[in-house]
Amino acid sequence: MQNNIEKKKRITLTSKEVSELIAEGIVTVILLLLLNVAIMVLFTQMLQNSPDLTDAIYRSKDIFANNFDSDIFWSGRNFVIPFFIIIDGLVVFWRLIRRYRQMQLRHIINELHYIANGNYNYRIPFELRGDLSKVVDSINGLVDSTVAAIEDEREIEKSKDELITNVSHDIRTPLTSIIGYLGLIEDGQYQSDDEILKYTSIAYKKAKQMKSLVEDLFEYSKVRQPSVPVNNVSFDMVQLLEQLAADFELEAKKKDIQIQVETQESQLVMDGDTEKLVRVFNNLITNALKYGAEADKIIIEIEKSKNEAVVTVKNNGTPIPREALDQLFDRFYRVDGSRSQEISGTGLGLAIAQNIINLHGGYIYAQSNEDWTSFIIYLPLYKNQIKSTPDNH
């Protein structure tokens, strides 16, 4: 925004505005002279009709003249002239300043109209004092806030468009397969019952993929809402993770992978929404089983660090490329090596996990090297520690 760094300048009046000021001054002086003459006439009439008032005024004049050791300004009837000069000068100054402020306000309004016509990168550059300076600062601040809101709205719209595009693509792929294989059966293009079973089996698997995508999409949309309730209960994290490891033991054995829970804590009692946290660790363990190519170990480490629980889910499979680590938690992102027909996934699991951890006031990040690919989670132990955290660590 080039105008934001533009040096502030004073308002320059146009020749027409200068003429208006001069005319204002002349008219004011004329009116004041007429008013002064009228006052002098009335004053003279009052003095002529009231001798006592005349004596009182002249006695006051003598007292002032003696106190100031001079009667220059108090001789004759001219003693009121300095008073009129001072008052008239103040009135003329006030009128000119008032009109000048109106002209400044007119310039500010013109600048505001220019911004309102869509020039949101422009800022009012005037250097002013007093209330008008506060008005200009407030307008520029309001424009900054408006531009930021517009940018946020654009990002939201862009994000929605990307979401629709990705969902459409991920639903269309299995749906095309389902329609294709069921179409073959509908048209009688099969040779045996075994071939029918093969087609229906493929269609069934694709339907399950679609169901998984819809469920993940629903869960992702739900945990993205800032008002989503977190049903905190007191639970033992060690026991919860040991139970999860046992639940995955059979699936891990089929892939010759060993799941271990390692901790120095006999128990780690903390507050949290167990249903949502189970979803997080389910996603992490499932990802390790799916995408941890050549892994033979999945280790879940639990430790206590001050007022936080630190849980690490790691596997010794093929490391994740460094350039992919920062994008792992983006929705629908999948490392290129995992994009295959055999290994399906919605790409929402880690995004869901991150949002659930954020709801608990914690954070999650990933590390990967030749030895281990690790997902490290920090969670506050108690709900009164929960506070808003950034989306990314």
Side-chain angles (χ1 to χ4, degrees):
M1 296 182 185
Q2 59 181 9
N3 292 285
N4 279 344
I5 59 176
E6 188 177 291
K7 191 174 181 180
K8 288 195 172 184
K9 59 185 181 182
R10 296 182 65 85
I11 293 178
T12 303
L13 298 183
T14 64
S15 57
K16 179 181 177 181
E17 289 171 332
V18 172
S19 300
E20 286 181 14
L21 274 180
I22 294 173
E24 180 80 13
I26 293 172
V27 170
T28 304
V29 169
I30 293 173
L31 291 175
L32 287 172
L33 288 176
L34 293 174
L35 180 62
N36 292 343
V37 171
I39 292 175
M40 288 295 295
V41 170
L42 290 174
F43 189 68
T44 302
Q45 291 294 326
M46 289 175 61
L47 290 178
Q48 291 176 352
N49 296 329
S50 179
D52 294 337
L53 179 61
T54 302
D55 292 340
I57 290 175
Y58 276 96
R59 281 197 299 271
S60 300
K61 176 204 58 139
D62 292 337
I63 293 172
F64 276 104
N66 292 332
N67 288 340
F68 288 101
D69 297 324
S70 173
D71 61 355
I72 295 175
F73 295 104
W74 306 99
S75 59
R77 295 186 176 182
N78 293 330
F79 73 95
V80 293
I81 292 177
F83 176 77
F84 280 133
I85 291 174
I86 294 172
I87 295 299
D88 291 351
L90 290 175
V91 172
V92 171
F93 179 77
W94 174 76
R95 290 280 296 176
L96 293 179
I97 287 295
R98 183 169 174 270
R99 177 55 63 92
Y100 180 63
R101 288 299 178 91
Q102 290 175 347
M103 292 175 180
Q104 287 182 319
L105 187 59
R106 189 190 306 163
H107 280 264
I108 293 172
I109 292 172
N110 290 337
E111 297 287 312
L112 187 56
H113 286 162
Y114 179 74
I115 294 174
N117 287 332
N119 302 290
Y120 299 120
N121 289 335
Y122 184 77
R123 298 295 178 272
I124 299 177
F126 298 144
E127 181 181 0
L128 300 166
R129 294 179 181 178
D131 291 339
L132 286 180
S133 176
K134 295 178 182 178
V135 169
V136 168
D137 291 341
S138 297
I139 291 173
N140 287 338
L142 180 61
V143 175
D144 287 337
S145 300
T146 302
V147 170
I150 291 173
E151 291 299 324
D152 289 344
E153 187 67 25
R154 286 175 181 170
E155 287 298 320
I156 291 172
E157 289 300 319
K158 181 181 177 182
S159 179
K160 288 179 179 178
D161 292 342
E162 290 176 353
L163 178 62
I164 293 171
T165 300
N166 287 323
V167 170
S168 300
H169 176 270
D170 281 16
I171 287 180
R172 183 176 58 185
T173 302
L175 186 59
T176 301
S177 296
I178 293 171
I179 293 173
Y181 283 108
L182 292 181
L184 292 175
I185 297 174
E186 178 73 15
D187 296 337
Q189 298 182 32
Y190 54 88
Q191 303 298 324
S192 64
D193 290 344
D194 290 339
E195 198 166 6
I196 292 177
L197 289 175
K198 176 185 175 182
Y199 292 167
T200 55
S201 176
I202 294 174
Y204 176 68
K205 289 179 181 178
K206 297 297 181 181
K208 286 179 66 177
Q209 286 182 21
M210 287 181 60
K211 181 175 181 289
S212 176
L213 173 63
V214 171
E215 289 177 345
D216 281 353
L217 184 61
F218 175 75
E219 184 69 21
Y220 175 77
S221 300
K222 187 169 66 174
V223 298
R224 285 282 292 177
Q225 300 297 324
S227 59
V228 62
V230 177
N231 301 315
N232 285 298
V233 295
S234 182
F235 70 98
D236 181 3
M237 177 63 83
V238 174
Q239 183 181 6
L240 182 144
L241 292 175
E242 286 178 343
Q243 181 60 49
L244 272 177
D247 293 342
F248 279 94
E249 188 174 354
L250 181 60
E251 184 179 349
K253 280 184 178 180
K254 292 180 181 178
K255 298 188 176 186
D256 296 322
I257 296 176
Q258 183 181 6
I259 296 183
Q260 298 176 352
V261 176
E262 297 182 357
T263 181
Q264 300 296 321
E265 309 288 338
S266 58
Q267 65 175 8
L268 183 55
V269 178
M270 58 180 293
D271 295 338
D273 189 324
T274 53
E275 182 180 350
K276 288 182 173 63
L277 290 175
V278 165
R279 179 64 183 266
V280 170
F281 296 114
N282 265 332
N283 288 351
L284 294 178
I285 296 172
T286 299
N287 280 357
L289 290 171
K290 278 186 179 181
Y291 309 126
E294 301 179 5
D296 60 11
K297 283 184 181 179
I298 296 175
I299 296 179
I300 304 172
E301 296 178 347
I302 311 166
E303 61 180 316
K304 180 180 178 181
S305 175
K306 296 183 180 179
N307 292 323
E308 292 181 311
V310 184
V311 181
T312 302
V313 179
K314 62 184 184 179
N315 69 84
N316 61 348
T318 303
I320 297 173
R322 184 177 298 275
E323 61 272 15
L325 281 176
D326 292 337
Q327 303 178 65
L328 280 177
F329 297 97
D330 294 347
R331 63 189 184 195
F332 294 106
Y333 180 81
R334 283 172 282 187
V335 179
D336 288 343
S338 72
R339 292 184 179 275
S340 65
Q341 293 293 326
E342 290 77 16
I343 302 178
S344 61
T346 65
L348 288 171
L350 291 179
I352 291 171
Q354 185 185 54
N355 280 281
I356 291 175
I357 296 300
N358 288 343
L359 286 174
H360 283 77
Y363 58 90
I364 179 174
Y365 62 97
Q367 293 178 341
S368 189
N369 54 42
E370 294 297 326
D371 298 321
W372 297 98
T373 293
S374 306
F375 290 86
I376 301 100
I377 299 171
Y378 282 77
L379 286 167
L381 291 178
Y382 307 108
K383 63 181 180 181
N384 58 0
Q385 298 171 238
I386 294 177
K387 57 184 178 181
S388 59
T389 57
D391 286 344
N392 293 306
H393 176 255

